[in-house]
Amino acid sequence: MDSYPNLRVLLVPDSIHWVTGTIATEISNKVPGIEAYICSEPVLHELLSHCNGQFPLPLDVVHFLTPHIATALFPAFSETTACVATIHHFENLWSIEPAPYADSIMTVCSQWHDFLIEKGIAQDRLVMVRNGVNTELFHSAGEEERKDLRRRYGIPDDAFVIGFSAKRSSDSCNRKGINILEKLIDESNANFPSAWWVIRGPGWQSLVQQKRQNGARITHLPFLLEKNDVAESYRLMDAYVVTARIEGGPVPLIEAMSSGLCCVTTEVGLAPELIQNGINGFLASFDDAAIFLKKLAFLEKNQEVRQRIGMAARQTIVDNLKWEQTLRSIPELYQTAISAFTKRKLLSPKFRDDSRYKTITECSKRRLRNWIADRELLALIHLLQAEGESEITRRLANSAILNKPFNWEILSLYSSHSSISSLIEIAKRTKITMKRVISKAITVTK
């Protein structure tokens, strides 16, 4: 990025707590020569509404981490800023809508990179940046650690634990293969006495409840806020499955491989690029539960084999998909966008509008980042409410209130809890004892 030292980049995930938020954070932390701001789509819409439709700081690049965000926000930035869109996979035409007009496009695997070229998108506008993994965080479990974690979650030491991860709301176009997942849960319950499932992600309450009523043993982890907890959840497991029909990563697959798990996956996204069948994992046909069940039955009986395959899986990730490796293409991605932007705006290649930048202080930047951080928590709470995760929403609101006890917007989230609505009214009238009142409210809702 020699032409633009300290490139000013706005990264826009759907949530800072989802996969796209992780990608944004890693870009911000690990790509040299950029000054990054991370602001999720719902928070950015709110920010623009307060700032006459303009981001309050000058930018060189805005990077939309999903195509839908690019479609929604391209008009707000296209006249002043080079625009990058990430296209993870293809479900329908909405999935590639930004392709004709984005200044550059980030793809995440060969399958969809080649697909876009076949669709007529100019190859010189496409830059592949594969999803990466923090291999120090996502690592194999020692025997004692695995036992301790299982005790914490109430899972027997001798259980054969199978993992699955996704948001229920991500199952658009039935792309997650949930019908196969359900068959696997039913059949493993009937045929593997030691089978125990760990299903991670919001929105699965009804499925989990139904399968438990049928006798399946399932631990549901609806939402894990801390990355350490996400990483630990893999170390509960013996095997991991991906039943999806359409994926870009999937990121949980490479996290599971980095965690030393033997994975059984359909040939989606990065899977056919990474998996050598029977060497570092297993590939299964789409919509074929029988293949999954055959491989899982084999792995249940052969602990040494699954450990050997898991070690090979981890080595594959360590050799190829550390963030430091995958993010090397980001400078090319952003320079491609800047070059395309200057051409479409008929600007000099050295153009950079710093007219507003001279008045921006580090203090004002810090205030903006703090405002965004506060709003991101509210955005997360609303997203989890939409997923039906009322219990997690309540816990997050509890924490937020104790940190910022005068935030009436967070307090308003409690309006559905009739048992504490009167306490909220007391809190509004007696701010001096706010924390005492809120602590009592939290006790009531536990």
Side-chain angles (χ1 to χ4, degrees):
M1 297 189 185
D2 295 337
S3 304
Y4 291 89
N6 298 319
L7 201 69
R8 301 164 307 205
V9 179
L10 173 63
L11 298 152
V12 191
D14 49 359
S15 168
I16 63 170
H17 301 284
W18 294 165
V19 167
T20 57
T22 298
I23 296 170
T25 300
E26 294 296 339
I27 291 173
S28 175
N29 292 341
K30 291 191 169 63
V31 177
I34 68 170
E35 181 181 11
Y37 301 89
I38 302 174
C39 186
S40 69
E41 180 190 16
V43 175
L44 183 55
H45 278 296
E46 183 179 358
L47 178 61
L48 294 177
S49 71
H50 291 312
C51 299
N52 298 318
Q54 288 189 324
F55 193 76
L57 299 178
L59 298 169
D60 299 302
V61 174
V62 58
H63 184 172
F64 306 113
L65 272 299
T66 77
H68 310 293
I69 296 172
T71 298
L73 287 166
F74 181 80
F77 291 91
S78 61
E79 291 301 310
T80 59
T81 313
C83 295
V84 178
T86 299
I87 295 179
H88 298 271
H89 54 255
F90 177 80
E91 297 176 44
N92 50 44
L93 291 177
W94 297 107
S95 303
I96 60 171
E97 189 176 10
Y101 53 77
D103 293 309
S104 67
I105 297 166
M106 173 177 147
T107 60
V108 297
C109 66
S110 297
Q111 178 185 12
W112 304 115
H113 187 94
D114 296 342
F115 173 85
L116 290 172
I117 294 172
E118 291 172 5
K119 287 292 183 182
I121 304 304
Q123 188 169 353
D124 61 4
R125 291 173 52 230
L126 304 175
V127 179
M128 194 186 310
V129 182
R130 289 181 173 87
N131 292 313
V133 183
N134 180 339
T135 56
E136 294 182 1
L137 180 63
F138 293 90
H139 61 79
S140 305
E143 191 59 33
E144 288 306 311
E145 182 186 16
R146 178 177 282 107
K147 288 181 179 179
D148 288 343
L149 287 171
R150 289 189 177 186
R151 278 194 288 271
R152 187 194 308 172
Y153 285 94
I155 299 174
D157 287 346
D158 60 351
F160 175 58
V161 181
I162 310 164
F164 175 87
S165 180
K167 286 186 300 179
R168 187 69 177 88
S169 61
S170 294
D171 189 33
S172 51
C173 302
N174 195 26
R175 71 180 184 90
K176 294 292 185 181
I178 302 308
N179 59 320
I180 301 302
L181 175 66
E182 293 199 49
K183 288 181 182 179
L184 296 182
I185 295 173
D186 292 339
E187 292 297 322
S188 65
N189 179 41
N191 298 301
F192 310 158
S194 66
W196 192 295
W197 287 81
V198 172
I199 296 181
R200 200 184 68 217
W204 301 106
Q205 302 94 324
S206 59
L207 183 146
V208 168
Q209 183 179 3
Q210 176 194 352
K211 297 305 177 185
R212 282 174 176 166
Q213 288 174 347
N214 293 336
R217 300 191 296 175
I218 302 175
T219 296
H220 181 209
L221 306 176
F223 180 74
L224 298 172
L225 182 63
E226 300 299 330
K227 290 296 179 187
N228 283 334
D229 294 334
V230 175
E232 283 186 347
S233 71
Y234 288 106
R235 298 198 285 274
L236 293 165
M237 305 171 191
D238 297 300
Y240 187 86
V241 298
V242 176
T243 57
R245 300 179 180 90
I246 302 170
E247 286 286 4
V251 167
L253 170 65
I254 58 179
E255 290 175 345
M257 292 177 69
S258 182
S259 302
L261 294 178
C262 183
C263 300
V264 187
T265 174
T266 52
E267 297 185 53
V268 290
L270 280 171
E273 300 178 45
L274 296 175
I275 300 290
Q276 295 177 278
N277 213 10
I279 304 298
N280 61 354
F282 293 101
L283 295 171
S285 303
F286 295 110
D287 297 322
D288 192 341
I291 292 181
F292 278 93
L293 288 165
K294 181 179 178 181
K295 299 303 181 186
L296 290 173
F298 172 75
L299 292 172
E300 182 201 26
K301 294 183 176 69
N302 293 274
Q303 180 178 359
E304 290 186 6
V305 172
R306 69 177 185 249
Q307 289 177 342
R308 172 172 52 79
I309 291 175
M311 289 175 61
R314 173 167 171 78
Q315 195 60 50
T316 298
I317 301 303
V318 170
D319 290 344
N320 298 282
L321 291 182
K322 290 182 178 179
W323 282 114
E324 293 83 355
Q325 298 163 315
T326 62
L327 296 179
R328 289 172 186 162
S329 299
I330 288 291
E332 179 189 355
L333 176 72
Y334 293 163
Q335 287 288 16
T336 299
I338 290 170
S339 297
F341 173 72
T342 56
K343 287 178 182 177
R344 70 178 169 87
K345 298 303 295 180
L346 301 177
L347 299 170
S348 163
K350 296 292 185 181
F351 173 80
R352 183 171 182 173
D353 181 10
D354 280 329
S355 58
R356 288 188 297 147
Y357 200 66
K358 294 177 181 178
T359 63
I360 302 299
T361 66
E362 289 302 317
C363 181
S364 60
K365 293 179 189 178
R366 187 166 55 252
R367 283 200 300 268
L368 176 63
R369 293 182 195 279
N370 289 339
W371 183 89
I372 290 173
D374 287 343
R375 309 310 293 178
E376 292 292 359
L377 178 57
L378 283 169
L380 173 63
I381 290 171
H382 289 303
L383 282 172
L384 291 171
Q385 279 182 323
E387 295 278 356
E389 298 292 351
S390 57
E391 177 64 17
I392 301 171
T393 298
R394 183 185 61 78
R395 291 178 186 174
L396 286 173
N398 288 346
S399 175
I401 289 169
L402 289 176
N403 288 330
K404 290 185 177 291
F406 302 125
N407 191 323
W408 302 117
E409 187 167 356
I410 295 176
L411 278 172
S412 69
L413 295 170
Y414 278 99
S415 59
S416 60
H417 299 285
S418 57
S419 60
I420 65 165
S421 59
S422 59
L423 291 174
I424 293 172
E425 291 304 316
I426 295 172
K428 288 180 179 179
R429 294 194 300 270
T430 58
K431 290 184 181 181
I432 194 169
T433 59
M434 175 67 79
K435 281 205 172 186
R436 189 184 308 167
V437 174
I438 296 304
S439 295
K440 185 175 181 181
I442 291 170
T443 302
V444 169
T445 59
K446 281 183 178 179

